[in-house]
Amino acid sequence: MRVAFYAPMKSPNHPVPSGDRLMARLLIRALELGGHKVDIASEFRTHASTPEAAAAVEPAIRAELERLRLTWKSAPRPELWFCYHPYYKSPDPLGPAISAEFSIPYVTAEASYAAKRDRTGWAASQKRVGEAIMQAAVNISFTERDQAGLAAAFPQARLAGLKPFIDTALFEKVSPAPDPRRLMTVAMMRAGDKMDSYVMLAKALRLIEDRPWTLAVIGDGPMRQEVQGLFAGLAGRIEWLGERNAVEIAELLGHGGLYVWPGCGEAYGLAYLEAQAAGLPVVAQETAGVPAVVEAGVTGLLTPDGDVTAYAEAVAALLDDRQRRDAMGQAAGRFVLGQRSLVMAAQVLNGILRDNAGIGVT
């Protein structure tokens, strides 16, 4: 099966790393493991910060549609259009039209729709997202929360679930040598939810300065100075490791004892799966999509949203109880390696495409 893959928010080839880019790449690999030939249909980015900016790209959308039509007049046509993460700021204006013209199935993954955005100037983009969801042979959600949201907005839409997953191969090769007092976090340093999580983490750790912990931070970004400033006064306890590649991250996580990241506004957080794959229990907030990737009380502790004191107490509890922490770390490794691997996801994804869209390997 020839699959045209499209990510309107951020291409899998985008130079800036992020969870969104990682999941796009993982989906491509899952499709390829399922026996499909995947091509990135377009690098065209529809992401717009304002409704006015969204309207301004309409001529470019028409030009890109014409380019695709001309390309497939001579080249082999796709047999499926797979769109990852369409939402009001990044709708898919290409796939629905191409799919209708070529009579091929249209599929979305991680589509989202928020009716409240219609009242803030985004009605045209929202309409495009809603029409794509209804046209899709199947809309794949990564969390029960997201699937329920689509079901409420579009009761007639065809829906399926695929649990968040990672490529566990790197972690299967790691020989953990955990330092029980070494806290780990992996996150970009940028405004918004990421910065909010750093703020909360810094506040929480100041509440447990009496414990013998250190924190290793993997990540970089435009707000590096601001993030480092949050931890001022904790000299000697914070290790700034900067941006690292996947191999280095797996190795570094294997030397940690506990993964700490509040996860403000996290869609789900692939970094949580990576940490658990390395044998680290997690302390996060019970918010948004985080419960989809952390088994509360089994592979980590989830605390009430926004409660800094509860978060600090959860970190302290696992620092103080090595036996419990070790047991959770072992459970975390079993959970991800056994249930959330790329290989398993490829099998589930193929089944979804077969059962919901009649799409098999050709």
Side-chain angles (χ1 to χ4, degrees), residues 71-201:
T71 296
W72 287 323
K73 275 186 177 180
S74 56
R77 294 182 176 183
E79 298 165 280
L80 165 71
W81 185 284
F82 193 108
C83 176
Y84 169 61
H85 202 183
Y87 78 117
Y88 75 99
K89 285 189 175 181
S90 295
D92 178 3
L94 308 176
I98 292 294
S99 296
E101 289 179 30
F102 291 172
S103 298
I104 61 174
Y106 177 74
V107 170
T108 77
E110 205 174 341
S112 65
Y113 184 93
K116 64 182 180 181
R117 300 297 178 186
D118 289 342
R119 301 187 293 274
T120 58
W122 291 99
S125 291
Q126 285 270 93
K127 183 173 184 290
R128 184 169 262 161
V129 173
E131 289 174 348
I133 290 170
M134 287 303 297
Q135 179 180 333
V138 63
N139 298 278
I140 302 168
S141 296
F142 295 130
T143 70
E144 293 179 3
R145 173 177 175 264
D146 288 347
Q147 189 167 335
L150 289 184
F154 303 99
Q156 313 270 315
R158 293 165 290 278
L159 310 175
L162 173 65
K163 300 291 186 184
F165 62 95
I166 61 170
D167 183 356
T168 58
L170 288 177
F171 300 94
E172 291 166 359
K173 298 174 183 176
V174 169
S175 299
D179 177 345
R181 293 178 294 186
R182 192 182 198 207
L183 310 179
M184 302 290 301
T185 198
V186 182
M188 293 288 290
M189 299 174 183
R190 61 172 182 255
D193 291 333
K194 298 297 185 190
M195 191 62 179
D196 291 344
S197 281
Y198 274 116
V199 169
M200 184 173 178
L201 180 60

